[in-house]
Amino acid sequence: MRQVLARAIGGVAVIGMIAGAAACNSSSSNDDKASSGGSGCGYELAYFGALTGSSSNLGVNIEQGFELAVDQYNQKKGSNCITVKKFDSQGSESVAPGVARSLVADKKILGVVGPPFSGESQAANPIFDQAGIPTITPSATNITLSQKGWKVFHRAVASDANQGPAAGAYIKNVLKATKVFVADDQSAYGQGLATGVTQALGTSVVQTDHTEGDGKQTDFSSTVQKVVGSGATVLFYGGYYTNGGLLLKQLRAGGWKGTLVGGDGMDDPGLAKAAGNANAAGTILTCPCQPSAKATGSFLTDYKTKWNVQAGTYSDVAFDAANIFLQGIDAGNTTTAKLNTYLSTVDYKGIANEYKFQANGDLDPALVKVWAFKMGADGQPAPDQQIQTS
């Protein structure tokens, strides 16, 4: 398990700061600080997303990449110039709005890296949009997020408009499956991704089913019976790693020999922890991201040095998202409005990708990537191949 960075207080928000930032902080507003000369210091950036809860591994990956970027910026500035604030949504749609309101109450925050998950994004982003605080999500992939008219929304990865067809293409062209079962956890993320896969596979889908949300169900016997009885050789599951692992463990116990395929929400060693390494081996996981091992520069070494773990899914994208904000602040965009305008014109070459945002906040289509990963016998997902959907 990855290092736990924060604990829920009262089940709502966790707010943490890098120590020693008092010399940079003041009680003035963003506009007051902007008029004082725009030194690039005295501001705050926030991570918003799961730090605790059943899917927190993915959130911790993102927060650690984000915090590493801010640390390096502060080292270059010679002081704790930018303060990190951390807000734990627990990945929950019901918790997220209250935590988002806590975040927007802090008028020194210029930008947000997150939310990581699509459901909490639907719940929290209207609050960020009303407050005018720009956000960059490193991982929320539901297609509709960029169709809400939010002016502050930016997505640093491909959406499920890309991931769904890519997963379908892998199942059809690489696994050569003619009978596919599709299930999902009914979340905004899982259901949206499963719908895309179903549409891509057409008549190859022999049956569909739904489970409860991640962490809410432990007995998947009903779905297991349906999968085994369907004759499917591939199960695509739209959901997160804990559910996916428990479902797979019970499928293997029920005698199913097929291949589980999932999206980026399952691209985590937590899948094998829930399923058992032997059960999880061979599972295919898609992600609208390149393998973190392909990150350029000293990122991988720096990450391991700081956190004593290897960079995980979306750690590198979060590092880039933070640096996009930091570059904007360094250029004098020291109000939320100016920083949001800056994001509309940015062309940033990071360690994971190049980033240009369309008017709706989506990544430029020319820059999207979708990879397939295969779970190894050691319980770790390893790169398999980049997927072409055409």
Side-chain angles (χ1 to χ4, degrees):
M1 289 293 291
R2 290 180 174 80
Q3 177 179 349
V4 175
L5 299 181
R7 298 184 300 273
I9 299 175
V12 182
V14 176
I15 304 175
M17 293 186 227
I18 295 177
C24 291
N25 290 338
S26 72
S27 60
S28 59
S29 68
N30 287 342
D31 288 332
D32 290 338
K33 289 183 289 187
S35 64
S36 69
S39 67
C41 286
Y43 305 99
E44 298 174 354
L45 290 175
Y47 164 78
F48 178 99
L51 291 171
T52 59
S54 60
S55 300
S56 60
N57 284 9
L58 296 170
V60 170
N61 291 347
I62 289 168
E63 195 287 325
Q64 291 182 161
F66 156 71
E67 191 169 341
L68 175 62
V70 179
D71 279 2
Q72 292 181 350
Y73 180 87
N74 286 338
Q75 289 168 15
K76 291 176 183 177
K77 289 291 183 180
S79 66
N80 290 322
C81 179
I82 300 294
T83 301
V84 164
K85 305 297 287 286
K86 292 177 274 191
F87 294 82
D88 182 13
S89 67
Q90 302 172 42
S92 167
E93 295 179 45
S94 60
V95 172
V99 182
R101 285 188 284 271
S102 296
L103 188 155
V104 302
D106 185 338
K107 302 304 180 183
K108 289 189 283 188
I109 294 174
L110 291 182
V112 177
V113 174
F117 303 150
S118 295
E120 64 178 352
S121 295
Q122 290 183 343
N125 282 355
I127 297 168
F128 298 143
D129 192 62
Q130 184 175 22
I133 299 178
T135 69
I136 303 176
T137 177
S139 59
T141 56
N142 185 276
I143 297 169
T144 66
L145 296 179
S146 60
Q147 300 170 356
K148 306 289 188 180
W150 298 323
K151 302 300 183 185
V152 301
F153 172 78
H154 306 86
R155 182 173 8 224
V157 294
S159 76
D160 290 332
N162 304 102
Q163 186 176 195
Y170 190 98
I171 292 169
K172 179 181 178 180
N173 300 327
V174 180
L175 298 180
K176 307 292 186 183
T178 58
K179 290 186 177 181
V180 182
F181 194 106
V182 177
D184 66 75
D185 65 357
Q186 303 181 74
S187 68
Y189 161 72
Q191 197 163 32
L193 182 55
T195 297
V197 172
T198 299
Q199 292 172 345
L201 290 174
T203 57
S204 296
V205 177
V206 294
Q207 196 171 343
T208 63
D209 196 23
H210 305 286
T211 71
E212 293 184 49
D214 203 53
K216 298 179 180 179
Q217 182 174 349
T218 57
D219 182 358
F220 294 90
S221 57
S222 175
T223 300
V224 168
Q225 291 173 5
K226 293 173 184 176
V227 173
V228 173
S230 72
T233 59
V234 169
L235 164 64
F236 180 87
Y237 182 68
Y240 295 96
Y241 58 84
T242 300
N243 264 16
L246 291 174
L247 173 58
L248 181 57
K249 182 178 183 178
Q250 293 172 38
L251 280 164
R252 295 294 187 236
W256 189 66
K257 305 296 185 183
T259 301
L260 175 66
V261 180
D264 52 314
M266 288 165 50
D267 187 12
D268 187 90
L271 176 82
K273 182 174 182 180
N277 287 1
N279 290 330
T283 296
I284 301 299
L285 309 163
T286 63
C287 184
C289 61
Q290 72 170 17
S292 59
K294 290 183 173 289
T296 59
S298 62
F299 170 76
L300 295 176
T301 300
D302 295 342
Y303 191 99
K304 180 65 181 297
T305 298
K306 181 170 178 60
W307 301 113
N308 199 33
V309 292
Q310 300 294 337
T313 303
Y314 293 125
S315 296
D316 51 350
V317 182
F319 180 85
D320 283 346
N323 275 310
I324 292 171
F325 277 132
L326 292 166
Q327 177 181 272
I329 293 170
D330 218 29
N333 298 291
T334 51
T335 68
T336 53
K338 288 181 179 178
L339 195 56
N340 198 53
T341 299
Y342 155 81
L343 292 179
S344 69
T345 61
V346 73
D347 184 352
Y348 181 82
K349 293 179 174 62
I351 55 105
N353 201 5
E354 180 178 356
Y355 304 88
K356 291 190 287 187
F357 300 111
Q358 300 182 97
N360 64 358
D362 272 338
L363 193 65
D364 185 323
L367 302 175
V368 302
K369 302 175 181 178
V370 182
W371 274 77
F373 296 77
K374 183 177 289 188
M375 190 68 74
D378 61 353
Q380 299 292 321
D384 185 57
Q385 60 181 271
Q386 190 167 2
I387 308 172
Q388 302 297 328
T389 58
S390 58

